[in-house]
Amino acid sequence: MTRGVLVTGASRGIGRAVAEAFAKAGDRVAVHYNSAARQAGEVAGALHGDGHVVVQADLADAAAVRRAVDTAAERLGRLDVLVNNAGVYLAHPPLSTSYEQWQEVWSATLATNLTGAANATFCAVPHLSAAGGGTIVNVSSRGAFRGEPDHPAYGASKAALNGFGQSMALALAPQHISVATVAPGFVDTDMAREILDGPQGEAIRQQSPFGRVARPEEVAAAVLWLASPEAVFASGTIIDVNGASYLRS
Ligand code: NAD
């Protein structure tokens, strides 16, 4: 029996690379998207193997999240892995943002990056339990540790996601569900494109002694390993994928 894997935000970027990595490993993937229906269909259609599906939800909409998770489990026949990948990176520099904008960004960021992942997790647990156990992998960020001066809600949402994942690792182990986190530094995707192509781009690449940012496939490889049976005992961990650009002790 191949595994059923739900990847949120998989129409592009890291989510797409994660979907491709699981499909290549022989798993069946539910490619989740919010508004990019055509791209999600193209991603699912191009995946290795058969049985992949597409599910839609705005992660900020709790009812839609439940529908998408249940639909993914039903159409895949089972759910073994949830990858909470979808996220937003909205700028709101504290010294130049209006109070209205500040509130909007906090609300939108937490709704997707934190509560969306928490709700997807809640809805996935019964399906993972029904499959005899499984894995949840959260895609966090280096910013949780290093700080995000122009994106403080993002940094806070990812720090909270780390704490959420560790709490859930404790809570779900009795159900044979492992919960782990990857924390990438900058990754070459649309989310970071403007910054990486802008005046700060070269300085950001030089933050790593490799002189570059991560490729989405490098993050996907870590996610795939964390979801492997060999990695069950890594439950609760947070793996840095940042090219030694930020070393925490
Ligand atoms: P991306 O913008 O290409 O992909 C993010 C995905 O999330 C998109 O498919 C988007 O549609 C989806 N999404 C956003 N809001 C949503 C919502 N409300 N409902 C449903 N889907 C929603 O960016 P990416 O670089 O592939 O990012 C993937 C994850 O990696 C994010 O959680 C991001 O925070 C994290 N990350 C990215 C970088 C980077 O430099 N690119 C660095 C560290 C962490």
Side-chain angles (χ1 to χ4, degrees):
M1 187 62 163
T2 59
R3 296 187 300 181
V5 180
L6 169 58
V7 184
T8 66
S11 64
R12 67 182 206 180
I14 294 169
R16 176 187 185 143
V18 169
E20 289 170 350
F22 277 102
K24 235 181 248 169
D27 298 316
R28 287 168 302 110
V29 181
V31 173
H32 159 267
Y33 70 96
N34 182 16
S35 52
R38 186 176 53 77
Q39 290 92 324
E42 286 169 5
V43 169
L47 289 179
H48 181 88
D50 305 316
H52 311 295
V53 303
V54 165
V55 294
Q56 189 279 333
D58 177 354
L59 281 182
D61 177 342
V65 170
R66 173 168 262 167
R67 276 196 301 276
V69 173
D70 290 348
T71 303
E74 189 186 321
R75 294 186 56 204
L76 294 171
R78 57 188 287 140
L79 193 63
D80 301 273
V81 180
L82 166 68
V83 182
N84 284 313
N85 164 77
V88 290
Y89 185 58
L90 305 172
H92 55 136
L95 303 182
S96 58
T97 298
S98 72
Y99 190 39
E100 290 71 26
Q101 184 68 8
W102 178 263
Q103 289 167 63
E104 275 171 32
V105 170
W106 272 93
S107 162
T109 302
L110 294 180
T112 297
N113 295 10
L114 181 60
T115 313
N119 288 344
T121 298
F122 183 93
C123 295
V125 165
H127 299 294
L128 299 174
S129 298
T135 306
I136 297 165
V137 182
N138 295 324
V139 180
S140 178
S141 172
R142 180 187 71 168
F145 304 106
R146 187 175 181 265
E148 289 280 353
D150 290 337
H151 305 72
Y154 179 84
S157 72
K158 295 300 192 178
L161 186 66
N162 292 347
F164 171 66
Q166 293 187 316
S167 295
M168 295 308 280
L170 291 168
L172 298 179
Q175 298 299 112
H176 307 288
I177 297 170
S178 59
V179 185
T181 302
V182 290
F186 273 99
V187 186
D188 187 12
T189 70
D190 291 328
M191 178 182 274
R193 184 84 54 226
E194 204 180 314
I195 295 179
L196 294 176
D197 288 350
Q200 293 172 274
E202 193 47 29
I204 287 171
R205 283 182 281 281
Q206 294 309 322
Q207 287 171 355
S208 163
F210 290 102
R212 64 174 179 86
V213 299
R215 292 184 282 272
E217 295 74 22
E218 292 173 312
V219 181
V223 173
L224 187 68
W225 179 74
L226 286 169
S228 69
E230 294 77 19
V232 165
F233 231 60
S235 190
T237 199
I238 302 170
I239 292 187
D240 295 316
V241 186
N242 69 29
S245 64
Y246 186 73
L247 301 173
R248 59 195 170 92
S249 48

